[in-house]
Amino acid sequence: MENWLVGLVTAAGLSLITYLVESGARVLREELRKKKAEAAAAERQVMSVAFEGADRILEAVARATVGKLEGSVASELRKKVKDGKAGYGDLCRVAETACGEIIGQLRPELQTVLMECIGDLEGYVKNRIESVLPEIKADYAQKAAAKQLAERVVRGKTDETADAERPD
């Protein structure tokens, strides 16, 4: 009878130990899942902040680079393409140059953040160039118009006197 009682207590004890270990493992797995989810959310938050910073830097670099190329090469080349003196491919090479220069100016850490968040860095930079180009072209057109007006004023010709001198 003693063996039977010892066997029963042993079986009950083993069942209880198995249940407690299993319950503890379940609780630990649930806690681990929660911690992983919290870590993933924190990682996404960090990546979001890092991406916003990298994107602002990319915007500034793109504006500066595109502005430099627009002022030195692109605007004249665009006129030549319009007049048929240069091909559209020449203008595309300027865009490729701008893209290469912009990526080259970004620190490797910024390139990594942008790559992890968007995947296609070159495509993203080209889209950024296209987004800042109209503003830069408008700025240059406004500056050119102001310069032209200033030159007329310096020569003593306002719009009215310039219009009066034009033959109809």
Side-chain angles (χ1 to χ4, degrees):
M1 175 91 169
E2 244 178 64
N3 284 341
W4 178 79
L5 189 57
V6 169
L8 183 63
V9 169
T10 303
L14 287 175
S15 294
L16 180 62
I17 290 171
T18 302
Y19 173 75
L20 291 174
V21 168
E22 196 175 288
S23 295
R26 209 173 325 125
V27 168
L28 287 175
R29 276 194 304 270
E30 184 62 27
E31 279 299 311
L32 183 60
R33 187 192 64 73
K34 286 180 183 176
K35 293 295 181 186
K36 282 183 179 179
E38 289 172 6
E43 171 104 11
R44 283 191 301 273
Q45 177 94 19
V46 167
M47 285 304 291
S48 175
V49 169
F51 176 74
E52 288 176 16
D55 193 47
R56 277 192 225 114
I57 292 169
L58 173 62
E59 170 104 14
V61 171
R63 284 184 181 283
T65 303
V66 171
K68 177 187 78 168
L69 289 173
E70 181 67 23
S72 62
V73 177
S75 62
E76 288 301 316
L77 188 55
R78 201 173 290 106
K79 289 175 188 172
K80 288 180 181 179
V81 168
K82 188 176 178 181
D83 294 340
K85 296 178 182 175
Y88 183 72
D90 297 327
L91 204 51
C92 290
R93 280 191 287 283
V94 172
E96 289 296 324
T97 300
C99 183
E101 283 186 25
I102 291 167
I103 291 173
Q105 291 177 54
L106 296 176
R107 292 191 321 235
E109 308 87 52
L110 295 174
Q111 290 180 21
T112 301
V113 167
L114 291 168
M115 285 292 290
E116 287 179 7
C117 291
I118 56 172
D120 181 14
L121 180 59
E122 188 173 321
Y124 190 71
V125 170
K126 287 179 181 178
N127 285 336
R128 182 58 63 149
I129 289 169
E130 292 299 321
S131 72
V132 299
L133 188 58
E135 294 172 31
I136 291 171
K137 286 166 65 175
D139 287 346
Y140 274 98
Q142 186 178 17
K143 288 176 184 175
K147 181 180 176 184
Q148 212 172 30
L149 180 62
E151 288 172 354
R152 282 184 181 170
V153 169
V154 167
R155 289 188 310 231
K157 297 180 180 179
T158 62
D159 284 339
E160 296 82 27
T161 57
D163 287 341
E165 292 176 359
R166 271 191 222 140
D168 288 331

